[in-house]
Amino acid sequence: MTAQIIDGKALSKQLREGFKARVGALVAQGVTPGLAVILVGDNPASRVYVGNKVKACEECGVRSFHIALPGDTLESEVLATIARLNADPAVHGILIQLPLPPHIDGRKVLEAISVHKDVDGFHLYNVGGLVVGNTIFPPCTPYGVQLLLDTTGTDVAGKNVVVVGASNIVGKPMALMLLQREATVTICHAKTRDLAQHTILADILIVAAGKPGLIVPQMVKQGAIVIDVGINRLADGRIVGDVDFDGVKEKASWITPVPGGVGPMTVTMLIENTLRSAERALRMRQTDDYQDWEAPVLKGH
Ligand code: NAD
């Protein structure tokens, strides 16, 4: 069997086409969706990521506010910047590019973002929402993976899903999102003993470890769906995932390539969350819910 390719680039393009009508509808009602991206310091990889996000926003008609702060910016100044953006009605989403310099407490900064503008979904309120199956903004990478899985037409309920990687931004939220859809979920990580013993049982295998070549064909069940979240740059400059693509594609039924799989979806879901935030803000202004704007409430999300 040779796996069918799950084409993240094509799905991204299709979704971004669909965004145009939503942006048009917002603009017609006097709202231009806006995303603020804060970069502290000059980490070259972060600069590339921020550049990609800003460019994608512009292509979709989302106004971007790119705030570049020097690497020695005080934590209090970062918090003051967030407070200003929280209060700015032109800004519907706020994103802090991670990692932050070591003198800044990342958790404190993430908690300072209004839950109503937390389009990365990293605020504790949104993380907690995942646990009870009711988050405002699902985190972008697992959200994108979920849509990629949907394109295969597979109902995840009752399936064995193995997530390799347990980070706060990918593995853990991914597992919670699929548990919510009634999959039987196993989470593996660097301390897991005999990884293959788990992965071989997976109907759906999602890999986000950041280790090139981690998943080889012997670890994959015949006919499994394999989603490779990993992005690794090899010494020769090539970008590869965590899965031995050429080997595993002969066993899987569906597989994502790297690049062109999960990567493009992450930025697309960031724009989706920003549009949702703008639509939500408009709705709140048009109804009595405006009172709730500053207070996180569990109703009506
Ligand atoms: P992380 O370093 O925060 O977490 C890695 C996780 O993998 C940890 O839970 C760790 O225990 C686990 N792990 C490491 N080695 C392992 C092993 N040998 N066996 C089993 N588990 C192992 O990384 P992250 O931020 O979650 O990112 C993971 C990968 O996904 C990276 O390659 C990153 O570049 C990529 N990524 C891609 C996107 C995208 O848009 N495609 C987004 C975020 C991250």
Side-chain angles (χ1 to χ4, degrees):
M1 177 193 288
T2 297
Q4 298 188 67
I5 302 297
I6 306 175
D7 188 342
K9 221 168 147 182
L11 179 59
S12 259
K13 193 162 173 247
Q14 188 191 326
L15 290 169
R16 289 185 195 189
E17 279 299 314
F19 291 163
K20 286 183 187 158
R22 287 168 67 190
V23 171
L26 282 164
V27 170
Q29 293 175 89
V31 175
T32 301
L35 173 69
V37 183
I38 305 174
L39 174 65
V40 188
D42 59 358
N43 178 320
S46 292
R47 251 189 293 142
V48 172
Y49 293 141
V50 166
N52 288 343
K53 287 167 190 172
V54 167
K55 186 165 163 267
C57 278
E58 279 160 12
E59 282 168 8
C60 293
V62 172
R63 187 190 297 162
S64 61
F65 304 87
H66 181 188
I67 296 143
L69 301 172
D72 60 358
T73 303
L74 296 175
E75 183 181 280
S76 56
E77 292 173 70
V78 177
L79 293 173
T81 303
I82 293 171
R84 177 174 60 77
L85 295 169
N86 281 344
D88 184 345
V91 174
H92 302 98
I94 304 172
L95 178 153
I96 308 277
Q97 186 62 43
L98 300 174
L100 285 163
H103 68 279
I104 296 177
D105 179 348
R107 207 62 253 177
K108 201 166 163 186
V109 166
L110 290 176
E111 298 329 326
I113 296 175
S114 161
V115 295
H116 301 283
K117 300 190 179 187
D118 176 37
V119 288
D120 249 346
F122 294 161
H123 189 288
L124 277 185
Y125 180 83
N126 276 314
V127 175
L130 282 178
V131 176
V132 293
N134 183 16
T135 194
I136 310 175
F137 301 111
C140 301
T141 300
Y143 191 10
V145 170
Q146 197 173 52
L147 294 199
L148 288 172
L149 274 175
D150 288 345
T151 66
T152 68
T154 306
D155 179 5
V156 301
K159 296 282 189 314
N160 285 343
V161 174
V162 176
V163 180
V164 180
S167 71
N168 289 339
I169 63 166
V170 189
K172 284 186 210 164
M174 185 79 255
L176 287 167
M177 285 163 84
L178 294 173
L179 180 61
Q180 182 63 25
R181 288 187 164 200
E182 299 182 298
T184 302
V185 182
T186 303
I187 311 178
C188 300
H189 46 77
K191 294 276 167 69
T192 298
R193 272 179 276 156
D194 194 357
L195 182 63
Q197 180 194 319
H198 298 277
T199 58
I200 197 72
L201 298 177
D203 302 310
I204 298 169
L205 178 60
I206 300 171
V207 192
K211 300 281 176 238
L214 179 66
I215 303 297
V216 293
Q218 303 88 291
M219 300 166 77
V220 178
K221 182 175 165 180
Q222 192 75 40
I225 298 175
V226 179
I227 308 277
D228 190 353
V229 183
I231 301 177
N232 308 289
R233 184 180 288 278
L234 300 182
D236 63 8
R238 272 186 307 137
I239 301 285
V240 298
D242 293 347
V243 175
D244 163 14
F245 180 85
D246 290 334
V248 170
K249 80 175 192 316
E250 299 306 325
K251 261 186 122 174
S253 57
W254 292 89
I255 191 167
T256 55
V258 178
V262 177
M265 289 297 288
T266 297
V267 179
T268 300
M269 300 331 289
L270 174 66
I271 297 170
E272 160 68 36
N273 277 348
T274 305
L275 294 186
R276 183 181 304 172
S277 180
E279 288 160 352
R280 202 169 163 266
L282 183 65
R283 228 175 25 248
M284 282 180 161
R285 290 210 174 87
Q286 289 168 342
T287 65
D288 292 342
D289 269 357
Y290 187 64
Q291 296 283 350
D292 293 336
W293 176 250
E294 284 310 327
V297 284
L298 268 175
K299 68 179 167 74
H301 295 138

